[in-house]
C-alpha cells in the first residue's frame, strides 16, 4: 500500500516535500520480537469454565477469547461467489472453504464483520465427493473481535479435510474499506457507480467470512455475477463467462496462487483499458473511467518498463499471467498492491501532459514502482504478522529508489530519496516514536503501523545496509530471501539471515564452498568477517526506536567519536534528558571523507565512544558520505566553522548530497539545543552560490518554514524581516526563473518552488505575472495552456479574488484531470476569506463536489494558513463524531486530520486546548499514538521559539 506523508507536507511526501502536488499520496503523507505463531491451539469446546469466555451477540458463551485466530483449522482453498447489485447497493455471496484440521476441535473461528450470514454447513471430504448436503452449523458472533464461531455437531478430527459452506449478504460499504461503492461523473454529468474492494490490513472480513491473517495463505477461485454493461475484474484472468436468465452474466476467474486474504481483489465497473505485453509475455492493462482513458498512457509505459526491470533484478518472473492497474475514483490511500489487480487513487496513476507537472510525473512513477515491487515483497513473500509490515512497505519504498533510478534516470529520484529519510527523522527524533518492528494486535493498532516509520525509516535503513554490504551482495541476499520464502511468510530474522549469507545455489563450488566476489573485500565485509553479522547490527535499528547522534571532535590526527540518542525538543540541560539516553546503543556503519582526500573511509561504531586516527592533517572531516547513513552528525569544537568556511570558499569540494546533509543536520541540531540558530543561518549564506537545485531547495525550505511559523503566530516584525531577507538574498535566482516547463526535473521543481515562494511572499513581479496569466486563461474559458510547473501558482494567485475563486470552483467540478483538480483545490484553500474556506470544508463533508477522500488533505492545507488554522481546528473538534463515520479511527485520513490541524501550533494555550481534546477522546475509548506525537511536536515548537526567537530577530536585523 502506498501512503505518504508527502501527501501533506507540501511536497508526502510523506507522501511530503518537493512534490508540490496538493496531496501527493504516499505518501505520502504511515518491535520487540513478538510471538509469530498464529495463536494457541484450541481443542474441546468449553473444556474451561464457560464464564471465562466472551459472550456472543445472542447471549451465549463464545468459545474463543483471543484476538488472533486459533491455528487448529487451516484454510487451503476458497471458492467465492459474489453478486453485487449496483442499483440497490448490496451484494449476495457464498463461499466454500476447504480446510485442514490439525487438532481435534468442536468449533471453527473465522473473521467476519458487518456480514449477515444466512446459512452455514459443513461437509466432510466424502460428503463433498458424493455431493451430499452438509451438516447445519450453529453460528455465534462476537463483534468486538470481528469473529464468528461455527459450532460443529461432531468433533472435527485431526489430519482430515472439511468443507465449510457459508451463504451471506451485506450492503456495499459507504466508506473506503471492504467491498464498497465508488462513484464518478461522466463528461455529460451522469453519475455512475462501481463496486470495488480494499482489504489491507484487516478488511477482507467485511467482504467474506475468512481467516483474515497474513499467515493463513490459501488459493482463491472467484466467480462474479454482473450485468452485461459492466466488466468484472479480479486477481487472475477470466476463464469463461456464463450467460444466465434475465440477461445476467457470471465471470469465472482462474484460481489464484497461494496468497493472504488482504491481497484478494474484485471490481465491477464499466471502465475501459489500454494494454501492452512485457518482454516475458505478461499482459499489463491500465483501467480508467471512459472519459479518462487518455490519461493512462504514461502509466502503461512505466508499468511495462518497471515490471521488466523487477523480473531481471529479482531473478524471479512475475508469477501471474496478467497485471491490471486501475484508477478508483474514491480511494483512501495512494494505491494498494492486490496481486494482479493493483488499485490506485487517480492522482497516483493518471498523467495528463496539459496539467501534470514534473513533480506529478515523479509521483506517478514512484507509486507504480512501489506497488510493482510489492508483487514480490509482500505478495510473493509476506510478513508473518503486522508487527513486521515494514518488510513489505519499507522494501517497496526502498525499491522505488532502485527501480526509478534504473528505468527513469532522467527523473533524478536519487537526489529526492534523501527527503524520504529526512521526513521520518522529524518523527523519529521524538520520544513518542516507535521501533520499526513493534507489537500490534487490534485492527486500529495494525492500521497505525502504516506510517513513516514502516515506510520511510524501513527504506532508509535498507539503503544504509546496501551501502554497507555493497550493491551486489545486497541484491544477492534479497534474491535468496525471495526465493527461499516464495508463497510463504517471513520475519525480520529471515531477511537478516539471507543478507548475512547471500550465496545462491549457483555460487557454490563443487566442494560446497561459496566464494564471495573478491571485489567485495573493499567493502565493509572485512570488518565483519566473511559471514557478515548483519543480524546483530540491524536489530539495533529495528528493535529500538529513535535515531543516533554521532558527536565528532577532531583533536590533531585523532577523531573522538561518541554516540547518543538524538532527541528534538529535549535539551541536555533538561532533567529528563539523561534518563531518555539510557540503554540506547546502535551499531552504526560510519562513512567519512576529509578535505585532503576523496577516499571514503569506513568504520563500524559498536560502542558509546571510540577514537579514529587520521592518516594526514586535514582542515575538515565530513561524516555520513552522501547521507546514506541514518544518523545525525554534530561536529564539536571548530568542526562546524571549518565546514561553513569550506562551503563559503568553494562548496563544490563537498559532494552535493553531503551539502544537503549538512544543511539538514545543522538545523536539526538547533532543534535539539546542540547548536545556536545563528550558526545554522550563517551556513545558508553560501546558498546564493549553490549550483545543486536539491541543496538550494533544502536550505530554502528551512527559511520558508520559519517564515510560516512567524506568520501563523503573527510575529510580524520577524516575518517581515524574513520576507525581506528571502526576497533580497535569493532575488537573483528567483529572477532567473522562467514561467515555462523547460529544463531537467530538478530545474523544473526548483522553478515551481521558487515562484511559489515568491508569490507567497507577495513579490510584486511574481504576483503580476501570475495574475496576468490567470486573466488570459479565464478570458480563454480555460483553453489557454499554462505551463504545468507554474499552474498551481497561477491558480493560487487567481483564487485571491472572488471572481477567480468562484471560477476555479466551477472548473473543479467539471475537470476530468485529477492533476488539475489537485492544483485547483490547493489554490482554493489559500483564500483569506473564512466563509470560502468554510464552504470548502462543507463540500468536503458532503462528498459530492469535493470527494470525501480529499477532506483530510483539504483540512491540512487550510490549517497551514493563518486565516484557516483556527477554522480547521474548531471544525475537527466540533465534528469529530461525523469524521469517525467517514474514516476508521486508526486510518491514515484521521491521523492526517489530527496532525494536520494541530501539530503546527506553538503556544501553551493551544497545547492545553489540544491536550484537553485528546483527553476527552480517550475518555470515550479512542486512543491513537498520534495524540502523543502531536503533543510532543507542539511542545517542541514552543521550546524552539523560546530558545531561538531572540536569536532569529537579532540575526535578521544584522543581515537585512
Amino acid at each position: 500500500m502506498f501512503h505518504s506523508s508527502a501527501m501533506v507536507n507540501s511536497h508526502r511526501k510523506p507522501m511530503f516535500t518537493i512534490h508540490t502536488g496538493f496531496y501527493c499520496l504516499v505518501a505520502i503523507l504511515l518491535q520487540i520480537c513478538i510471538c509469530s505463531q498464529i495463536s494457541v491451539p484450541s481443542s474441546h469446546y468449553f473444556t474451561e469454565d464457560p464464564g471465562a469466555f466472551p459472550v456472543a451477540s445472542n447471549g451465549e458463551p463464545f468459545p474463543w477469547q483471543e484476538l488472533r485466530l486459533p491455528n487448529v483449522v487451516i484454510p487451503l482453498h476458497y471458492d467465492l461467489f459474489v453478486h453485487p447489485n449496483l442499483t440497490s447497493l448490496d451484494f449476495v455471496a457464498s463461499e466454500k472453504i476447504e480446510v485442514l484440521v490439525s487438532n481435534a476441535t468442536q468449533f471453527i473461528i473465522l473473521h467476519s464483520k458487518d456480514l449477515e450470514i444466512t446459512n452455514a454447513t459443513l461437509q466432510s471430504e466424502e460428503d463433498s465427493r458424493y455431493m451430499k448436503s452438509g451438516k447445519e452449523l450453529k453460528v455465534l458472533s462476537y463483534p468486538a473481535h470481528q469473529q464468528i464461531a461455527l459450532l460443529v455437531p461432531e468433533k472435527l478430527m485431526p489430519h482430515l479435510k472439511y468443507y465449510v459452506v457459508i451463504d451471506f449478504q451485506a450492503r456495499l460499504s459507504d466508506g473506503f474499506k471492504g467491498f464498497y461503492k465508488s462513484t464518478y461523473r461522466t463528461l455529460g454529468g451522469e453519475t455512475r457507480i462501481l463496486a470495488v474492494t480494499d482489504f489491507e490490513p484487516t478488511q477482507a472480513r467485511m467482504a467474506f467470512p475468512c481467516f483474515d491473517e497474513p499467515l493463513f495463505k490459501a488459493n482463491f477461485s472467484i466467480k462474479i455475477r454482473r450485468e452485461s454493461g459492466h466488466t468484472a475484474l479480479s486477481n487472475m484472468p477470466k476463464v469463461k463467462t456464463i450467460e444466465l436468465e434475465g440477461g445476467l452474466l457470471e465471470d469465472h476467474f482462474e484460481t489464484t496462487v497461494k496468497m493472504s486474504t488482504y491481497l484478494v481483489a474484485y471490481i465491477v465497473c464499466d471502465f475501459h483499458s489500454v494494454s501492452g505485453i512485457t518482454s516475458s509475455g505478461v499482459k499489463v492493462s491500465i483501467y480508467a473511467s471512459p472519459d479518462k482513458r487518455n490519461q493512462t498512457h504514461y502509466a502503461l509505459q512505466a508499468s511495462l518498463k518497471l515490471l521488466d526491470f523487477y523480473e531481471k533484478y529479482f531473478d524471479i518472473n512475475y508469477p501471474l499471467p496478467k497485471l491490471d492497474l486501475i484508477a478508483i475514483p474514491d480511494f483512501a490511500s495512494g494505491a494498494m498492491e492486490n496481486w494482479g489487480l493493483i488499485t490506485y487513487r487517480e492522482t497516483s496513476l493518471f498523467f495528463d501532459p496539459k496539467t501534470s507537472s514534473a513533480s506529478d510525473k515523479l509521483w506517478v512513477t514512484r507509486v507504480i514502482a512501489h506497488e510493482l515491487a510489492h508483487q514480490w515483497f509482500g505478495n510473493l513473500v509476506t510478513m508473518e504478522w503486522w508487527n513486521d509490515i515494514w518488510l513489505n512497505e519499507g522494501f517497496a519504498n526502498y525499491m522505488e529508489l532502485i527501480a526509478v533510478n534504473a528505468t527513469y534516470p532522467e527523473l533524478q529520484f536519487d537526489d529526492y530519496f534523501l527527503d524520504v529519510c529526512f521526513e521520518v527523522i522529524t518523527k523519529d527524533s521524538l520520544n513518542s516514536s516507535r521501533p520499526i518492528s513493534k507489537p500490534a494486535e487490534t485492527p486500529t493498532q495494525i492500521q497505525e503501523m502504516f506510517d513513516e516509520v514502516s515506510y520511510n525509516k524501513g527504506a532508509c535503513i535498507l539503503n544504509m545496509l546496501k551501502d554497507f554490504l555493497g550493491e551486489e551482495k545486497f541484491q544477492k541476499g534479497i534474491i535468496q530471501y525471495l526465493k527461499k520464502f516464495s508463497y510463504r511468510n517471513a520475519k525480520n530474522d529471515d531477511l537478516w539471515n539471507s543478507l548475512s549469507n547471500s550465496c545462491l545455489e549457483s555460487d557454490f563450488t563443487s566442494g560446497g564452498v561459496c566464494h564471495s566476489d573478491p571485489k567485495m573485500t573493499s567493502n565493509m565485509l572485512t570488518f565483519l568477517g566473511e559471514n557478515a553479522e548483519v543480524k546483530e547490527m540491524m536489530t539495533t535499528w529495528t528493535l529500538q526506536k529513535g535515531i543516533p547522534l554521532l558527536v565528532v571532535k577532531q583533536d590533531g590526527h585523532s577523531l573522538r567519536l561518541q554516540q547518543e540518542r538524538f532527541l528534538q525538543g529535549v535539551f541536555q540541560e533538561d532533567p529528563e534528558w539523561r534518563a531518555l539516553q539510557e540503554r540506547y546503543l546502535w551499531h552504526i556503519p560510519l562513512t567519512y571523507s576529509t578535505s585532503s582526500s576523496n577516499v571514503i573511509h569506513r568504520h563500524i561504531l559498536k560502542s558509546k565512544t571510540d577514537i579514529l586516527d587520521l592518516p594526514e592533517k586535514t582542515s575538515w572531516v565530513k561524516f555520513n558520505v552522501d547521507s546514506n547513513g541514518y544518523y545525525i552528525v554534530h561536529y564539536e569544537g571548530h568542526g562546524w566553522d571549518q565546514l561553513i568556511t569550506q562551503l563559503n570558499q568553494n562548496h563544490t569540494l563537498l559532494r552535493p548530497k553531503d551539502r544537503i546533509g549538512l544543511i539538514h543536520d545543522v538545523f536539526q541540531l538547533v532543534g535539539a539545543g546542540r547548536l545556536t540558530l545563528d550558526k545554522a543561518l550563517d551556513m545558508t549564506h553560501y546558498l546564493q552560490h549553490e549550483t545543486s537545485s536539491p541543496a538550494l531547495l533544502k536550505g530554502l525550505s528551512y527559511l520558508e518554514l520559519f517564515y510560516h511559523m512567524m506568520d501563523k503566530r503573527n510575529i510580524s516584525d520577524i516575518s517581515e524581516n524574513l520576507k525581506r531577507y528571502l526576497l533580497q538574498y535569493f532575488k537573483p535566482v528567483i529572477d532567473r526563473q522562467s514561467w515555462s516547463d523547460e529544463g531537467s526535473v530538478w530545474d523544473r521543481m526548483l522553478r515551481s518552488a521558487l515562484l511559489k515562494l515568491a508569490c507567497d511572499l507577495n513579490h510584486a513581479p511574481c504576483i503580476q505575472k501570475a495574475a496576468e496569466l490567470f486573466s488570459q486563461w479565464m478570458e480563454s474559458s480555460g483553453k489557454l495552456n499554462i505551463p504545468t510547473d507554474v499552474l498551481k501558482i497561477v491558480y493560487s494567485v487567481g483564487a485571491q479574488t472572488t471572481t477567480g475563486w468562484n471560477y476555479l470552483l466551477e472548473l473543479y467540478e467539471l475537470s476530468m484531470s485529477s492533476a488539475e483538480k489537485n492544483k485547483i483545490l490547493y489554490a482554493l484553500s489559500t483564500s483569506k476569506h473564512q466563509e470560502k474556506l468554510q464552504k470548502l470544508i462543507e463540500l468536503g463533508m458532503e462528498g459530492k463536489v469535493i470527494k470525501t477522500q480529499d477532506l483530510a488533505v483539504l483540512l491540512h492545507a487550510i490549517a497551514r494558513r493563518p486565516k484557516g488554522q483556527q477554522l480547521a481546528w474548531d471544525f475537527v473538534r466540533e465534528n469529530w463524531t461525523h469524521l469517525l463515520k467517514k474514516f476508521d479511527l486508526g486510518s491514515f485520513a484521521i491521523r492526517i486530520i489530527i496532525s494536520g490541524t494541530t501539530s503546527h501550533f506553538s503556544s501553551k494555550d493551544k497545547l492545553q486546548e489540544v491536550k484537553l481534546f485528546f483527553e476527552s477522546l480517550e475518555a470515550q475509548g479512542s486512543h491513537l499514538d498520534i495524540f502523543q506525537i502531536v503533543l510532543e511536536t507542539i511542545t517542541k515548537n514552543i521550546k524552539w521559539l523560546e530558545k531561538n526567537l531572540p536569536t532569529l530577530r537579532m540575526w535578521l536585523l544584522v543581515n537585512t
Side-chain angles (χ1 to χ4, degrees):
M1 191 185 294
F2 199 98
H3 285 308
S4 191
S5 4
M7 225 163 67
V8 303
N9 268 8
S10 107
H11 117 203
R12 269 2 83 142
K13 219 192 133 202
M15 261 177 264
F16 317 86
T17 323
I18 278 149
H19 192 287
T20 49
F22 179 44
Y23 49 62
C24 314
L25 275 170
V26 111
I28 336 68
L29 195 114
L30 286 226
Q31 303 173 21
I32 297 101
C33 285
I34 68 166
C35 173
S36 57
Q37 298 302 311
I38 297 178
S39 192
V40 296
S42 70
S43 51
H44 196 273
Y45 181 27
F46 292 151
T47 51
E48 301 176 43
D49 171 17
F53 287 85
V55 178
S57 52
N58 68 350
E60 295 183 26
F62 189 81
W64 188 250
Q65 51 194 345
E66 306 293 331
L67 270 168
R68 302 278 289 275
L69 299 181
N71 62 357
V72 297
V73 179
I74 310 296
L76 303 175
H77 181 267
Y78 293 76
D79 260 311
L80 179 61
F81 161 80
V82 185
H83 180 196
N85 186 321
L86 300 191
T87 304
S88 57
L89 302 180
D90 53 17
F91 66 94
V92 294
S94 62
E95 65 183 350
K96 182 177 183 178
I97 313 174
E98 180 186 355
V99 299
L100 177 66
V101 175
S102 60
N103 285 58
T105 182
Q106 275 195 280
F107 56 85
I108 300 171
I109 308 293
L110 297 94
H111 287 109
S112 179
K113 183 184 179 190
D114 299 335
L115 300 174
E116 181 191 344
I117 293 170
T118 54
N119 192 47
T121 57
L122 182 77
Q123 294 177 315
S124 64
E125 271 198 286
E126 186 180 349
D127 292 338
S128 181
R129 192 177 305 121
Y130 296 110
M131 309 290 284
K132 291 183 185 175
S133 60
K135 297 180 177 68
E136 287 280 333
L137 297 175
K138 182 171 184 177
V139 182
L140 296 179
S141 175
Y142 187 48
H145 286 179
Q146 302 174 0
Q147 292 171 356
I148 56 170
L150 307 178
L151 307 185
V152 299
E154 296 172 12
K155 194 180 288 189
L156 303 183
M157 301 311 293
H159 315 304
L160 294 183
K161 289 181 184 175
Y162 295 86
Y163 296 87
V164 179
V165 180
I166 304 175
D167 299 325
F168 55 99
Q169 58 191 28
R171 299 282 298 169
L172 288 172
S173 168
D174 281 329
F176 302 95
K177 291 295 182 180
F179 194 22
Y180 70 96
K181 79 169 194 306
S182 175
T183 62
Y184 73 93
R185 193 183 53 78
T186 67
L187 264 175
E190 177 192 354
T191 297
R192 294 186 183 172
I193 295 172
L194 57 148
V196 58
T197 58
D198 192 51
F199 292 162
E200 190 179 32
T202 59
Q203 281 86 25
R205 64 195 68 173
M206 295 174 68
F208 59 99
C210 56
F211 298 80
D212 199 11
E213 295 179 2
L215 255 174
F216 287 117
K217 289 193 171 188
N219 304 98
F220 297 82
S221 300
I222 295 173
K223 302 180 184 70
I224 298 177
R225 196 169 289 178
R226 61 178 171 87
E227 293 180 351
S228 58
H230 288 123
T231 299
L233 301 170
S234 190
N235 305 83
M236 300 296 287
K238 191 165 59 176
V239 178
K240 63 180 177 181
T241 299
I242 298 171
E243 291 191 27
L244 305 171
E245 290 180 14
L248 289 175
L249 302 174
E250 187 174 288
D251 294 327
H252 293 213
F253 296 89
E254 276 182 36
T255 300
T256 69
V257 294
K258 196 175 176 187
M259 65 186 199
S260 303
T261 48
Y262 77 87
L263 294 169
V264 173
Y266 40 91
I267 296 169
V268 176
C269 63
D270 65 346
F271 285 9
H272 294 177
S273 66
V274 297
S275 301
I277 307 289
T278 66
S279 57
S280 62
V282 177
K283 183 181 180 182
V284 176
S285 303
I286 315 292
Y287 282 84
S289 56
D291 296 323
K292 297 180 180 177
R293 192 172 68 160
N294 63 338
Q295 298 176 55
T296 59
H297 298 289
Y298 177 71
L300 178 62
Q301 172 205 326
S303 302
L304 291 167
K305 210 170 180 180
L306 286 159
L307 200 63
D308 276 339
F309 169 78
Y310 281 135
E311 288 192 323
K312 292 185 181 75
Y313 186 89
F314 295 136
D315 193 32
I316 300 170
N317 282 342
Y318 172 74
L320 309 187
K322 65 92 175 173
L323 175 61
D324 298 333
L325 295 78
I326 181 167
I328 307 299
D330 302 276
F331 202 71
S333 59
M336 175 59 210
E337 65 268 19
N338 317 298
W339 216 345
L341 178 55
I342 307 176
T343 44
Y344 289 79
R345 188 179 277 229
E346 289 185 342
T347 45
S348 300
L349 193 64
F350 290 157
F351 181 81
D352 174 16
K354 289 184 177 176
T355 58
S356 296
S357 64
S359 294
D360 294 330
K361 190 171 200 174
L362 176 59
W363 179 254
V364 169
T365 314
R366 287 185 59 188
V367 182
I368 293 173
H370 182 102
E371 302 307 324
L372 265 58
H374 271 314
Q375 307 303 295
W376 286 265
F377 279 100
N379 299 10
L380 186 64
V381 180
T382 311
M383 74 277 139
E384 284 193 358
W385 185 247
W386 301 106
N387 63 303
D388 279 335
I389 186 58
W390 84 275
L391 288 175
N392 286 17
E393 300 301 348
F395 249 112
N397 256 25
Y398 168 74
M399 288 309 302
E400 290 174 36
L401 170 67
I402 302 302
V404 175
N405 276 351
T407 54
Y408 288 93
E410 69 274 15
L411 292 180
Q412 298 175 273
F413 180 49
D414 194 46
D415 291 321
Y416 181 75
F417 186 77
L418 297 186
D419 272 344
V420 171
C421 304
F422 296 160
E423 282 156 15
V424 69
I425 287 171
T426 303
K427 174 178 177 176
D428 209 23
S429 56
L430 299 175
N431 190 44
S432 53
S433 187
R434 65 167 181 86
I436 285 179
S437 194
K438 171 197 170 186
E441 295 298 324
T442 68
T444 296
Q445 289 169 349
I446 290 167
Q447 277 190 307
E448 287 190 279
M449 293 295 288
F450 291 80
D451 67 355
E452 306 99 305
V453 173
S454 290
Y455 284 73
N456 296 30
K457 185 176 180 180
C460 297
I461 67 163
L462 288 170
N463 186 55
M464 177 173 68
L465 181 58
K466 185 261 312 211
D467 181 64
F468 165 73
L469 291 176
E471 202 152 339
E472 188 177 346
K473 182 173 176 68
F474 185 84
Q475 184 180 355
K476 279 187 174 184
I478 61 176
I479 290 171
Q480 184 188 76
Y481 169 77
L482 289 171
K483 289 185 173 179
K484 182 173 182 180
F485 294 98
S486 288
Y487 305 105
R488 293 165 56 198
N489 299 76
K491 52 188 183 296
N492 269 342
D493 285 357
D494 297 321
L495 175 63
W496 307 143
N497 291 338
S498 293
L499 286 164
S500 296
N501 179 23
S502 56
C503 292
L504 302 174
E505 284 182 31
S506 57
D507 295 325
F508 283 92
T509 63
S510 56
V513 178
C514 167
H515 292 287
S516 293
D517 184 331
K519 293 196 289 281
M520 303 311 298
T521 54
S522 65
N523 238 314
M524 288 308 304
L525 298 181
T526 50
F527 284 94
L528 293 179
E530 184 65 30
N531 191 19
E533 289 296 328
V534 172
K535 177 181 171 183
E536 182 190 1
M537 179 173 83
M538 293 311 292
T539 52
T540 70
W541 297 94
T542 56
L543 300 187
Q544 62 184 350
K545 64 184 178 181
I547 177 171
L549 170 67
L550 176 70
V551 181
V552 179
K553 185 164 187 184
Q554 188 175 345
D555 187 1
H557 282 264
S558 295
L559 291 173
R560 298 183 180 277
L561 309 180
Q562 179 177 323
Q563 65 163 292
E564 300 170 6
R565 179 184 175 196
F566 180 70
L567 288 164
Q568 286 267 21
V570 183
F571 305 145
Q572 273 184 307
E573 59 269 27
D574 293 342
E576 66 268 33
W577 186 84
R578 191 160 298 282
L580 293 173
Q581 293 291 332
E582 285 177 10
R583 297 188 301 280
Y584 281 86
L585 181 71
W586 287 267
H587 289 191
I588 312 174
L590 302 176
T591 55
Y592 62 98
S593 60
T594 69
S595 61
S596 52
S597 162
N598 281 328
V599 174
I600 299 174
H601 304 274
R602 295 177 180 271
H603 177 74
I604 302 174
L605 181 62
K606 294 185 179 182
S607 53
K608 281 282 189 186
T609 58
D610 208 346
I611 297 177
L612 297 180
D613 293 324
L614 291 169
E616 53 198 324
K617 191 178 179 187
T618 182
S619 58
W620 53 260
V621 60
K622 164 68 176 66
F623 274 80
N624 198 3
V625 175
D626 280 336
S627 298
N628 281 319
Y630 188 74
Y631 55 95
I632 305 282
V633 186
H634 176 41
Y635 303 92
E636 287 196 331
H638 298 295
W640 279 109
D641 294 330
Q642 290 161 343
L643 287 163
I644 291 170
T645 299
Q646 181 62 69
L647 287 171
N648 285 320
Q649 287 176 353
N650 181 3
H651 65 275
T652 62
L653 286 187
L654 286 150
R655 294 172 171 82
K657 286 186 189 173
D658 282 341
R659 305 198 296 268
I660 297 170
L662 287 171
I663 294 166
H664 172 263
D665 285 5
V666 79
F667 282 105
Q668 294 296 313
L669 288 161
V670 171
R674 302 301 285 261
L675 277 179
T676 56
L677 179 60
D678 53 347
K679 181 82 72 181
L681 290 169
D682 286 345
M683 181 184 278
T684 66
H685 280 316
Y686 101 91
L687 287 172
Q688 60 185 325
H689 307 296
E690 179 56 82
T691 47
S692 160
S693 294
L696 179 56
L697 281 171
K698 175 51 65 179
L700 273 170
S701 71
Y702 284 105
L703 297 172
E704 190 176 359
L705 178 74
F706 301 154
Y707 170 75
H708 287 302
M709 186 188 285
M710 301 304 133
D711 194 31
K712 283 197 195 90
R713 285 295 304 275
N714 198 25
I715 306 173
S716 54
D717 65 316
I718 296 184
S719 62
E720 285 303 311
N721 280 339
L722 250 174
K723 181 192 293 190
R724 192 176 302 115
Y725 174 76
L726 282 162
L727 290 176
Q728 169 190 316
Y729 209 75
F730 294 99
K731 185 177 186 296
V733 69
I734 290 170
D735 289 347
R736 281 201 302 272
Q737 303 309 309
S738 62
W739 291 69
S740 69
D741 284 341
E742 295 164 1
S744 70
V745 163
W746 278 102
D747 290 339
R748 295 176 64 182
M749 290 202 279
L750 180 67
R751 173 185 305 126
S752 294
L754 283 173
L755 293 178
K756 178 181 176 298
L757 174 64
C759 280
D760 279 350
L761 297 176
N762 286 314
H763 185 45
C766 185
I767 298 288
Q768 187 180 334
K769 177 67 175 178
E772 181 186 314
L773 282 171
F774 188 79
S775 294
Q776 293 170 1
W777 175 75
M778 268 186 70
E779 285 165 18
S780 75
S781 300
K783 304 253 182 332
L784 177 74
N785 282 341
I786 298 172
T788 60
D789 295 333
V790 298
L791 197 52
K792 189 165 80 166
I793 302 159
V794 171
Y795 287 165
S796 297
V797 170
Q800 302 314 306
T801 68
T802 298
T803 306
W805 196 91
N806 290 334
Y807 185 77
L808 283 166
L809 184 58
E810 284 174 30
L811 178 66
Y812 181 85
E813 191 169 358
L814 297 172
S815 175
M816 285 289 145
S817 163
S818 54
E820 181 175 52
K821 288 174 82 96
N822 186 344
K823 295 170 179 63
I824 293 172
L825 192 56
Y826 174 84
L828 293 170
S829 76
T830 64
S831 172
K832 295 178 176 63
H833 297 283
Q834 291 219 338
E835 68 278 6
K836 289 186 170 62
L837 300 178
Q838 183 67 43
K839 182 175 182 179
L840 290 179
I841 295 173
E842 287 167 3
L843 290 172
M845 284 296 281
E846 185 187 33
K848 290 177 183 171
V849 175
I850 298 174
K851 284 188 169 284
T852 303
Q853 67 174 9
D854 298 323
L855 179 61
V857 287
L858 173 63
L859 285 167
H860 180 275
I862 289 172
R864 292 180 62 176
R865 299 276 160 178
K867 296 291 185 186
Q869 55 181 341
Q870 190 62 40
L871 178 72
W873 169 226
D874 288 344
F875 172 81
V876 170
R877 285 186 292 175
E878 291 161 14
N879 293 274
W880 181 253
T881 53
H882 298 296
L883 290 168
L884 282 187
K885 288 174 185 169
K886 295 181 178 295
F887 307 105
D888 290 343
L889 178 63
S891 66
F892 189 66
I894 285 291
R895 285 178 278 149
I896 289 294
I897 288 169
I898 291 170
S899 64
T901 56
T902 57
S903 58
H904 57 278
F905 288 145
S906 55
S907 72
K908 290 179 179 175
D909 287 349
K910 284 288 180 247
L911 175 63
Q912 189 61 18
E913 275 183 28
V914 175
K915 193 173 181 182
L916 288 172
F917 177 59
F918 289 167
E919 285 172 358
S920 72
L921 297 185
E922 289 181 329
Q924 299 164 33
S926 297
H927 176 77
L928 293 173
D929 291 345
I930 193 74
F931 293 169
Q932 188 55 36
I933 293 166
V934 164
L935 293 174
E936 266 195 65
T937 302
I938 299 172
T939 302
K940 177 186 80 172
N941 296 342
I942 293 168
K943 291 181 78 168
W944 192 97
L945 282 174
E946 287 173 350
K947 196 173 186 77
N948 296 299
L949 207 55
T951 306
L952 180 57
R953 183 175 273 120
M954 183 57 66
W955 189 88
L956 285 167
L957 287 172
V958 170
N959 286 275
T960 52

